[in-house]
Each structure stands twice: as C-alpha cells, then as structure tokens.
C-alpha cells in the first residue's frame, strides 16, 4: 500500500478529464494536480519550449513527493524524449493504445497543432487499424478558448471551422487527441450525433491503475486531493466541483522556471 498522491500534470484544466477517469477507477487514490494555466496553451508553441515546460511540471510533482506522474497532456507526451519517462517514480504519458477503439470507416483526430505535427495519434491508430481512413484536425486556439471560459457559440464556431477546413465532415469516430476536448463533448455530439467517441484518458487511467497494482502501490486512503494551478481564475474551482464532484479548492502556486 502507498498513500502518496498520484501526480497529474497538464498545460491547464484539460488534465482534469484524465483525473476523472483515474478517480472513477481508483476512488481511494489521492491526486496532486498541476495545471500550467499561466503559460497555456502549449499546443501552439515550439517543440523545445514544450519540452522545457514539461520537465518543469514533472520536477515540481516529484519534488512534492508523488508516487507516480501521469502526463495528462498529449502535447507534452508527444514532445518528450524517452528519457523523460524514466525517473525515480513511474512516469506515464497519454496512451496511444487504440486497440479498444473498435473499427470505424473514418476517424477524426482532434488535437492541438503541436500534437498533429507529430502525427503520433495517426501512426498509432493505423498500426492497429491499417484500413481506417483518418482526418487530422489541428484545432488552433480551441484549448485556449476552453481554458478562457469562452461561451458555447464561440467554441462551436471554432470547431465547425476546423471540421470544414480539414475535411472531417463525414467522420464516424471522434478521437479526443487533446485532454481539453472532453470538456466540450456535448458540442462534439451536437456536430456529430451518430459518431462514436474514443477518449484515450480512460485507457491512460487503466494503465496507471495497472502499474500501481503490479507494483503494490495502490492506496487505501480517503482519496484527498490537491489541485494546483500556476494562475488561478474562477474556472478551476468551478470545474473541480461540477466536473469532478469534489470539494477541494484550486490553489495558485509558482513553479521553477515559470
Ligand atoms: N491539454 C493539452 C493536450 O492534451 C494541450 C492544450 C494546450 O494547447 O495547452 O494536448
């Protein structure tokens, strides 16, 4: 048994969607969450910048004594060299195991421009489903708009434009390639009422839980969590309450390098 928290990091609030999956699977675990809201969005920045910031977030969590780090951000996951994932505690990125996605004719891969330019989702998807057609949709500005609390009309418009521009109108499966996007799943469903949805966050949570079990590091506590952000607004505490159904308040912190 190990009651130290699981560290979960993202460029902002998106990683809360992965926290939800982790807590659904492992309700006795505690989470130490870190969202870099002061420097968000990451998905439109240079590769070297993303790597540097990713390292800083991970170091903050490890210095705070977490037992594992879950990189709940696709953009960071696909920009870090393999050494990033070898540390004093297990460090895992967003899962690209799409074997449970099921067959589809055409998958829309919705992700940040930085993730799309790595083609990581597409390569991983086609390694299991070679005949699947894909439309890669870099949603410029969408994560930041969600982060800034933009209204439904603005978000829907951004999404519609991306779908039109990247020829994704006829997709029958949506892959959430950015952890922010499940926060607006209802908008995706409005645009694609008959599509199937695949959220790698759930698979990532299963992987985290599997590692804890194998290493006998599961918690048997009350699951008390802590949510830190590099810049606080109303939005974070509100989401923790509404989306995660938790009482904890967001805390503003500073990290080295910020
Ligand atoms: N949530 C992040 C991801 O999964 C990125 C959002 C951002 O652009 O900062 O890629």
């Amino acid at each position: 048994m190990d009651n130290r928290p699981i560290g979960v990091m993202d460029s902002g609030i998106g990683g809360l969607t992965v926290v939800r999956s982790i807590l659904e699977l492992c309700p006795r675990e505690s989470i130490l969450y870190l969202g870099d809201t002061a420097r968000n969005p990451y998905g439109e920045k240079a590769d070297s910048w993303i790597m540097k910031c990713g390292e800083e977030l991970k170091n903050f969590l490890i210095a705070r004594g977490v037992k594992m780090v879950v990189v709940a951000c696709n953009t960071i996951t696909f920009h870090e060299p393999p050494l990033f994932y070898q540390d004093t505690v297990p460090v895992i990125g967003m899962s690209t195991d799409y074997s449970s996605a099921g067959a589809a004719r055409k998958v829309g891969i919705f992700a940040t421009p930085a993730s799309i330019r790595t083609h990581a989702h597409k390569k991983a998807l086609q390694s299991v489903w070679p005949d699947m057609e894909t439309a890669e949709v870099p949603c410029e500005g969408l994560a930041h708009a969600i982060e800034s609390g933009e209204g439904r009309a603005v978000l829907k418009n951004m999404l519609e434009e991306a779908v039109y521009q990247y020829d994704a109108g006829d997709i029958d499966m949506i892959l959430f390639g950015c952890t922010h996007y499940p926060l607006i799943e209802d908008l995706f469903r409005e645009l694609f009422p008959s599509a199937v949805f695949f959220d790698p966050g759930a698979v990532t949570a299963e992987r985290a839980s599997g590692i804890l079990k194998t290493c006998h590091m599961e918690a048997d506590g009350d699951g008390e969590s802590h949510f830190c952000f590099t810049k606080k607004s109303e939005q974070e505490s509100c989401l923790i309450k509404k989306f995660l159904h938790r009482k904890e308040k967001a805390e503003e912190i500073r990290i080295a390098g910020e």
Side-chain angles (χ1 to χ4, degrees):
M1 286 298 155
D2 187 338
N3 283 336
R4 287 177 297 165
I6 301 174
V8 181
M9 57 186 254
D10 179 44
S11 65
I13 55 176
L16 294 175
T17 62
V18 181
V19 170
R20 183 169 72 173
S21 297
I22 295 175
L23 291 176
E24 267 167 20
L25 265 186
C26 322
R28 308 205 74 172
E29 295 292 340
S30 302
I31 304 289
L32 173 59
Y33 186 83
L34 176 58
D36 196 3
T37 37
R39 296 188 290 192
N40 182 282
Y42 278 32
E44 279 140 54
K45 305 269 180 22
D47 296 0
S48 55
W49 188 93
I50 298 167
M51 278 190 240
K52 170 187 144 326
C53 296
E55 193 74 36
E56 288 165 6
L57 302 188
K58 180 181 81 165
N59 290 343
F60 172 92
L61 290 171
I62 293 178
R64 288 264 187 125
V66 299
K67 63 180 171 186
M68 165 189 252
V69 175
V70 177
V71 180
C73 174
N74 294 268
T75 306
I76 299 175
T77 299
F78 302 139
H79 282 83
E80 296 297 347
L83 261 184
F84 177 84
Y85 298 97
Q86 291 170 27
D87 216 306
T88 47
V89 296
V91 178
I92 65 165
M94 288 303 292
S95 168
T96 51
D97 176 357
Y98 301 132
S99 47
S100 59
R105 196 186 52 75
K106 183 171 173 183
V107 183
I109 301 169
F110 291 81
T112 64
S115 285
I116 293 287
R117 68 177 177 252
T118 70
H119 303 292
H121 296 106
K122 180 173 173 163
K123 287 182 205 155
L125 197 66
Q126 290 188 330
S127 71
V128 214
W129 307 98
D131 298 330
M132 250 188 215
E133 206 186 319
T134 54
E136 292 182 294
V137 188
C139 302
E140 179 121 34
L142 186 60
H144 188 55
I146 296 171
E147 195 76 40
S148 321
E150 287 290 358
R152 288 178 68 82
V154 173
L155 297 172
K156 193 169 176 192
N157 199 25
M158 289 177 94
L159 201 50
E160 272 169 347
E161 270 185 25
V163 167
Y164 176 72
Q165 197 181 344
Y166 293 96
D167 188 27
D170 56 345
I171 55 178
D172 57 354
M173 183 185 285
I174 308 258
L175 190 154
F176 283 135
C178 169
T179 54
H180 280 68
Y181 302 164
L183 291 170
I184 56 162
E185 183 170 337
D186 57 331
L187 284 182
F188 277 90
R189 287 196 186 273
E190 264 179 38
L191 279 182
F192 298 98
S194 52
V196 171
F197 286 70
F198 187 75
D199 179 6
V203 190
T204 306
E206 277 166 26
R207 187 154 166 245
S209 157
I211 292 172
L212 292 180
K213 276 197 186 107
T214 310
C215 303
H216 306 291
M217 283 166 69
E218 293 162 286
D220 63 354
D222 296 330
E224 268 192 33
S225 295
H226 207 74
F227 297 89
C228 304
F229 296 88
T230 49
K231 187 175 170 211
K232 200 158 75 95
S233 70
E234 280 304 296
Q235 157 113 306
E236 296 87 28
S237 293
C238 208
L239 266 179
I240 293 165
K241 196 168 163 203
K242 279 205 187 130
F243 187 74
L244 295 179
H245 308 293
R246 313 276 304 196
K247 294 188 299 293
E248 293 94 343
K249 290 257 181 301
E251 183 198 338
E252 185 165 299
I253 49 97
R254 288 198 73 80
I255 53 171
E258 183 207 334

